[in-house]
Amino acid sequence: MSLKNEVGNIAWYSLMTHNPSTAIDYYTKLLSWEVMDYEIEGFGKAKLFQAAGQKFAGPMDLNDVKELPSHWIPYFAVESVDEKCQQIKSLAGEVCFEPFDMPTIGRTAIVSDPQGTVFQIFTPEDPKADVNVMGGSIGQPCWLELMAKDPKSLATFYGTILSLEVEEQDMGEGAYFIIKKGDHMVAGITAVPEGFPETKYWLPYFMVTDAEASSSISHELGGESLSPARTISGVGTFTLQKDPTGALFYLFQGE
């Protein structure tokens, strides 16, 4: 596997949260995630989430940054973080935190798109590493979605910076823009549905066996369901959730 083949894939997730211990308790009970300790040289100890044998995310303490809500943030793989930062700025995006190195892991930067959605770009230290963390097993992240005021222009933006194709589909509720690598679909961008909260964060989907049952468990654990379970024929059933610390995500039951 070469780095060029990994460009555009989702290489990691961080859960930016005001209460890591509460978040860890919630997700491990809801989605049966395992928690592992990991030492990052120069950054200290970290905790990692693992599902179905694959590491894919980690919680990070927002500390006293009270103006930011708890949220999930994806890392998109790119060939050069520094070059990509320049391109993002040229396309009306913003570099929120300049590129920095994580020893033995890779280089990353925190950036935002022209409508203010925050995400990270990442280049692994090992150019032959398979960095794609998306999967189809229970508990794993299986899709990524952004609800935006102007989904079409954002789809063009992400397609350009990630060297991905953009395909427009009708999912029964208006246009849905899929960014993809050949036949491999990476993420979707859509308009904010009526009645949904407006958010400037990408929302991960996590695979479950029963979306409605998992939604009930989420409620028992202190989470909140922000939408009833909805089913799209040929795709599956999903429901928008808020964890006890305020981060939004979807539970997804594949058809």
Side-chain angles (χ1 to χ4, degrees):
M1 184 68 70
S2 69
L3 178 56
K4 189 171 184 179
N5 291 331
E6 291 293 304
V7 167
N9 282 334
I10 299 161
W12 194 251
Y13 286 97
S14 283
L15 172 59
M16 312 300 292
T17 175
H18 290 287
N19 195 328
S21 60
T22 295
I24 289 171
D25 183 68
Y26 170 81
Y27 286 104
T28 53
K29 290 178 179 176
L30 176 65
L31 296 167
S32 299
W33 291 349
E34 297 177 67
V35 180
M36 307 178 66
D37 292 318
Y38 187 77
E39 183 81 26
I40 303 177
E41 183 182 339
F43 290 82
K45 293 182 179 180
K47 291 190 179 295
L48 307 180
F49 290 131
Q50 177 173 288
Q54 177 174 280
K55 303 177 190 68
F56 65 91
M60 297 186 68
D61 197 338
L62 279 173
N63 295 315
D64 296 323
V65 189
K66 295 181 180 178
E67 65 271 20
L68 289 179
S70 295
H71 61 277
W72 284 93
I73 184 168
Y75 293 51
F76 291 98
V78 297
E79 287 191 86
S80 169
V81 167
D82 295 81
E83 291 179 8
K84 200 56 59 177
C85 281
Q86 296 305 311
Q87 185 183 26
I88 287 170
K89 288 191 284 188
S90 74
L91 295 172
E94 181 180 346
V95 176
C96 307
F97 199 97
E98 294 292 337
F100 62 95
D101 292 313
M102 296 179 289
T104 74
I105 298 174
R107 188 165 176 81
T108 188
I110 302 174
V111 296
S112 66
D113 66 31
Q115 294 183 43
T117 310
V118 178
F119 62 102
Q120 289 190 225
I121 48 177
F122 171 76
T123 299
E125 185 170 289
D126 180 0
K128 296 182 179 180
D130 178 0
V131 299
N132 186 10
V133 299
M134 303 294 273
S137 298
I138 299 301
Q140 291 184 328
C142 58
W143 188 240
L144 181 66
E145 186 175 86
L146 177 61
M147 296 185 290
K149 288 184 177 180
D150 185 357
K152 186 173 184 178
S153 67
L154 280 193
T156 299
F157 169 83
Y158 284 100
T160 300
I161 66 165
L162 299 174
S163 301
L164 300 177
E165 303 165 33
V166 176
E167 179 180 298
E168 182 176 347
Q169 293 187 0
D170 184 357
M171 305 296 284
E173 297 180 351
Y176 194 91
F177 298 90
I178 295 174
I179 50 177
K180 54 190 292 191
K181 292 171 65 74
D183 294 331
H184 169 58
M185 297 187 292
V186 175
I189 304 176
T190 185
V192 182
E194 185 176 350
F196 271 53
E198 185 175 341
T199 175
K200 289 189 176 181
Y201 298 104
W202 282 94
L203 305 180
Y205 282 55
F206 298 115
M207 184 76 76
V208 295
T209 55
D210 187 320
E212 292 194 53
S214 293
S215 181
S216 296
I217 295 171
S218 170
H219 179 74
E220 293 170 1
L221 294 172
E224 180 184 353
S225 178
L226 300 183
S227 73
R230 297 187 298 156
T231 299
I232 295 180
S233 179
V235 178
T237 301
F238 53 98
T239 173
L240 180 62
Q241 302 288 312
K242 179 191 287 187
D243 75 24
T245 76
L248 304 183
F249 68 98
Y250 281 97
L251 294 169
F252 177 76
Q253 172 189 341
E255 188 172 272

